[in-house]
């Protein structure tokens, strides 16, 4: 397939390289000066998108996605798929999908989970929103860049699934960390705490697979001085998107709201920036009740 790829950063670069390595004809564009193995660079987004069967975007936020979409939609050929893999707000995803559909394109919002390691290794999970036809057109590419692609529903459904998942993740990480900090103060050994909780009703992905206590449970960023992993500021971005969506949809999400406030405090006023999101545990460790 002829593929246009716009946004060749930490995630987009390796994803585009994997498509080229699988034999696709990939033309890319990024505002920054980049080189990506196997990818021909274009002088603009519109040039990368022109004549492509599928255009993929991997951009920082919804505002940038909207402006890139305005530039590339008129340049794309009718019937092409427009696959946005960025994590953006549901409203932007739906607005871009509407414009793309009106221009005779097949839009898909397909945010990913799996991080930079998943992008490089071709093991991402895609959660996709759009028509069945659009999903089927993008599916062979998801299979190269990832290990799983779930068609979640119509436009915006992929972004909705992503932020709901990550809202659970942020809330659960905080709960796991505050419970470890309480256990410390109650004199409970961390290994015993893990042994009990990981096999009891408090178990979760954050406890069992990504334990925030160093030296306990499987290897995780806690064992590497809390270097990310999944950075606290990226968790904050996703929690903000979840609360923006909750606002638009009039959904009551008190725990998501509290998690957003805590990660804001951690990233903006404490030392959370650049740390893994599980570094909430040393944060709680240092604190007292008030
Ligand atoms: P990044 O900042 O490394 O890459 C974004 C790229 O977009 C940059 O290279 C930037 O120069 C380029 N860009 C910005 N404006 C542009 C424009 N108008 N035209 C062309 N290129 C433009 O970010 P990333 O880590 O690759 O993340 C990309 C997206 O993936 C984000 O939405 C992020 O939330 C999401 N995501 C990231 C991770 C992760 O672990 N990094 C995991 C899951 C999802």
């Amino acid at each position: 397939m002829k593929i246009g790829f716009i946004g060749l950063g930490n995630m987009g670069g390796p994803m585009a390289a994997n498509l080229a390595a699988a034999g696709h004809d990939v033309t890319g564009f990024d505002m920054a000066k980049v080189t990506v193995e196997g990818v021909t660079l274009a002088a603009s987004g519109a040039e990368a998108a022109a004549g492509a069967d599928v255009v993929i975007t991997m951009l920082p936020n919804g505002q940038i996605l909207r402006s890139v979409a305005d530039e590339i939609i008129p340049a794309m050929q009718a019937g092409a798929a427009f696959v946005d893999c960025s994590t953006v707000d549901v409203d932007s995803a739906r607005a871009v999908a509407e414009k793309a559909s009106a221009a005779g394109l097949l839009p898909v919002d397909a945010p990913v989970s799996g991080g930079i390691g998943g992008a490089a290794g071709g093991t991402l999970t895609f959660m996709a929103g759009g028509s069945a036809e659009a999903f089927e057109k993008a599916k062979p590419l998801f299979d190269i860049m990832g290990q799983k692609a779930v068609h979640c529903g119509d436009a915006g459904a992929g972004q909705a699934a992503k932020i709901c998942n990550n809202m659970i993740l942020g809330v659960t990480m905080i709960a796991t960390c505050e419970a470890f900090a309480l256990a410390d103060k109650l004199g409970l050994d961390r290994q015993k705490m893990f042994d009990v909780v990981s096999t009891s009703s408090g178990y979760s992905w954050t406890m069992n697979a990504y334990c925030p206590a160093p030296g306990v449970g499987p290897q995780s960023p806690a064992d590497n001085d809390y270097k990310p992993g999944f950075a606290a500021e990226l968790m904050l971005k996703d929690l903000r998107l979840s609360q923006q969506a909750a606002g638009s949809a009039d959904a009551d999400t008190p725990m998501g709201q509290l998690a957003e406030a805590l990660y804001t405090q951690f990233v903006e006023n404490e030392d959370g920036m650049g740390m893994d999101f599980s570094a909430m545990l040393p944060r709680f460790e240092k604190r007292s009740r008030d």
Side-chain angles (χ1 to χ4, degrees):
M1 269 196 238
K2 193 167 161 14
I3 299 168
F5 206 119
I6 299 166
L8 301 165
N10 290 321
M11 297 291 289
M15 290 163 72
N18 283 337
L19 293 173
H24 291 290
D25 174 6
V26 186
T27 303
F29 174 70
D30 195 291
M31 296 250 290
K33 210 171 144 42
V34 293
T35 48
V36 180
E37 204 173 330
V39 175
T40 309
L41 292 179
S44 68
E47 191 181 308
D53 303 301
V54 177
V55 174
I56 302 176
T57 46
M58 194 49 167
L59 297 162
N61 59 48
Q63 204 185 342
I64 294 175
L65 169 67
R66 285 179 193 244
S67 81
V68 168
D70 285 343
E71 182 198 342
I72 65 173
I73 287 173
M76 287 175 67
Q77 62 180 9
F82 179 168
V83 183
D84 176 48
C85 294
S86 331
T87 303
V88 303
D89 56 290
V90 177
D91 292 342
S92 292
R94 291 197 171 135
V96 165
E98 208 168 297
K99 278 192 183 171
S101 294
L105 305 174
L106 296 170
V108 187
D109 54 289
V112 302
S113 124
I116 297 166
T123 56
L124 295 168
T125 295
F126 290 84
M127 26 216 129
S131 68
E133 187 189 0
F135 179 74
E136 285 312 317
K137 185 148 187 173
K139 178 80 172 42
L141 306 184
F142 294 152
D143 290 342
I144 294 166
M145 299 183 286
Q147 62 184 352
K148 191 171 172 68
V150 180
H151 187 198
C152 299
D154 293 338
Q159 298 294 349
K162 165 95 187 172
I163 56 171
C164 288
N165 180 74
N166 281 19
M167 186 172 81
I168 295 172
L169 178 62
V171 167
T172 317
M173 179 55 84
I174 291 169
T176 304
C177 291
E178 69 181 31
F180 262 118
L182 171 61
D184 288 346
K185 293 203 174 176
L186 296 175
L188 180 60
D189 179 72
R190 285 185 169 182
Q191 183 63 50
K192 301 292 178 203
M193 165 85 172
F194 177 83
D195 291 347
V196 171
V197 175
S198 64
T199 53
S200 299
S201 46
Y203 83 91
S204 65
W205 185 85
T206 57
M207 175 61 84
N208 291 39
Y210 203 93
C211 183
V216 176
Q219 275 282 319
S220 71
D223 301 307
N224 190 25
D225 292 329
Y226 295 99
K227 290 195 184 77
F230 185 47
E233 60 269 26
L234 291 179
M235 173 46 80
L236 177 58
K237 173 188 172 179
D238 292 356
L239 285 167
R240 283 182 171 151
L241 291 175
S242 77
Q243 294 316 293
Q244 195 181 331
S248 317
D250 192 24
D252 188 21
T253 55
M255 301 301 287
Q257 209 171 349
L258 266 176
E260 184 201 353
L262 256 180
Y263 274 103
T264 300
Q265 172 72 8
F266 187 45
V267 168
E268 293 184 353
N269 304 327
E270 299 169 2
D271 55 0
M273 177 74 93
M275 303 280 277
D276 188 74
F277 83 121
S278 61
M280 271 286 163
L281 175 51
R283 175 192 184 275
F284 280 119
E285 246 172 62
K286 288 185 227 126
R287 295 174 62 87
S288 53
R289 192 157 177 79
D290 10 75

